[in-house]
Amino acid sequence: MKLSRTLATARRVLRQLSHDPRTVALLLLVPVLLLVLLYFVFDADRRAFDGIGASLLGIFPLVTMFLVTSIATLRERTSGTLERLLSMPLGKGDLIAGYALAFGVLAVVQASVATAVAVWLLDLDFAGSPWLLLLVALLDAILGTALGLFVSAFAASEFQVVQFMPAVIFPQILLCGLFAPRETMQPVLEYVSDVLPMSYAVEGMNEVLQHSDPTGDFVRDAAIVGGSALLVLCLGAATLRRRTA
């Protein structure tokens, strides 16, 4: 890997995204609109909004970054762009790192906007620092980027990318502790949730919600989410293909 090649790839991806306002709107506005909708759904019960809103602040960026990244990478491959790039002195690691950097920049903006709206506009009540909320939201968005890059290697069309949602994202949402405490689930489901990174993202958000200072559990949760993103990025580089079969 070379830094210059990675940066060149990141600049190219960001330039392409800048000409696609609908994608930018999906990334930046949809999580915010969903949080606002949730705020009014729980208008009569602010404590419920605080509990669920903090968790969804981490989940929404993961879902949107997963969709956008997987579809954008698939388009690169189906259009032949990826094949042309890999015929140049550009390694898979350079390419994956460039994509991760470009979408990571978008993830920073997305997580910052969503966190700012939740904290200062919707008055999300939590004990810890808003910077810790932002950190978990950002790690979740980067994890969504990594998962999107990974699954795009196994999809032949945009429709197939969407089909990965029930397989990759929905089980994590159901088992992450958002709807019921993980310890109250059936043992087999609790064991499955223990290996799903979204479970630790939700737990990290709950730690910020309940504690004024970073706890050991929060550090563990953030490290697991970040480590999972790094692992999936490595898997994405290993499974990257030049073209769609």
Side-chain angles (χ1 to χ4, degrees), residues 193-204 220-221 224-225:
S193 72
D194 286 341
V195 300
L196 298 177
M198 191 181 290
S199 301
Y200 299 95
V202 170
E203 286 190 1
R220 179 208 62 188
D221 295 335
I224 290 176
V225 176

Side-chain angles (χ1 to χ4, degrees), residues 52-115:
I52 298 177
S55 299
L56 293 182
L57 186 59
I59 293 174
F60 288 157
L62 188 154
V63 174
T64 54
M65 291 304 297
F66 171 84
L67 277 174
V68 171
T69 305
S70 56
I71 292 175
T73 308
L74 177 66
R75 286 178 179 175
E76 294 273 79
R77 199 169 64 249
T78 55
S79 65
T81 302
L82 192 58
E83 185 176 8
R84 292 193 297 271
L85 288 172
L86 291 178
S87 66
M88 302 167 62
L90 182 71
K92 291 183 178 181
D94 296 311
L95 196 65
I96 288 294
Y99 275 96
L101 180 59
F103 285 107
V105 170
L106 292 176
V108 170
V109 178
Q110 181 199 61
S112 300
V113 171
T115 303

Side-chain angles (χ1 to χ4, degrees), residues 42-236:
F42 290 101
D43 188 47
D45 189 356
R46 287 305 313 277
R47 293 186 63 184
F49 169 74
D50 293 334
I52 298 177
S55 299
L56 293 182
L57 186 59
I59 293 174
F60 288 157
L62 188 154
V63 174
T64 54
M65 291 304 297
F66 171 84
L67 277 174
V68 171
T69 305
S70 56
I71 292 175
T73 308
L74 177 66
R75 286 178 179 175
E76 294 273 79
R77 199 169 64 249
T78 55
S79 65
T81 302
L82 192 58
E83 185 176 8
R84 292 193 297 271
L85 288 172
L86 291 178
S87 66
M88 302 167 62
L90 182 71
K92 291 183 178 181
D94 296 311
L95 196 65
I96 288 294
Y99 275 96
L101 180 59
F103 285 107
V105 170
L106 292 176
V108 170
V109 178
Q110 181 199 61
S112 300
V113 171
T115 303
V117 169
V119 172
W120 288 292
L121 182 62
L122 303 182
D123 197 26
L124 181 69
D125 187 19
F126 55 96
S129 167
W131 295 108
L132 297 180
L133 283 180
L134 175 60
L135 174 62
V136 179
L138 176 57
L139 290 174
D140 248 14
I142 294 175
L143 176 61
T145 297
L147 288 171
L149 288 169
F150 176 64
V151 304
S152 67
F154 304 98
S157 66
E158 293 179 9
F159 179 68
Q160 288 185 6
V161 168
V162 176
Q163 289 178 313
F164 274 106
M165 285 286 292
V168 177
I169 300 298
F170 289 174
Q172 296 197 65
I173 294 177
L174 293 175
L175 299 177
C176 69
L178 178 65
F179 300 105
R182 294 196 297 127
E183 59 271 14
T184 65
M185 298 177 184
Q186 290 293 323
V188 63
L189 295 180
E190 185 179 358
Y191 295 147
V192 172
S193 72
D194 286 341
V195 300
L196 298 177
M198 191 181 290
S199 301
Y200 299 95
V202 170
E203 286 190 1
M205 286 295 189
N206 289 333
E207 288 293 312
V208 180
L209 195 69
Q210 300 169 6
H211 302 280
S212 58
D213 296 316
T215 63
D217 287 341
F218 173 83
V219 174
R220 179 208 62 188
D221 295 335
I224 290 176
V225 176
S228 298
L230 181 60
L231 174 62
V232 176
L233 281 176
C234 293
L235 292 174

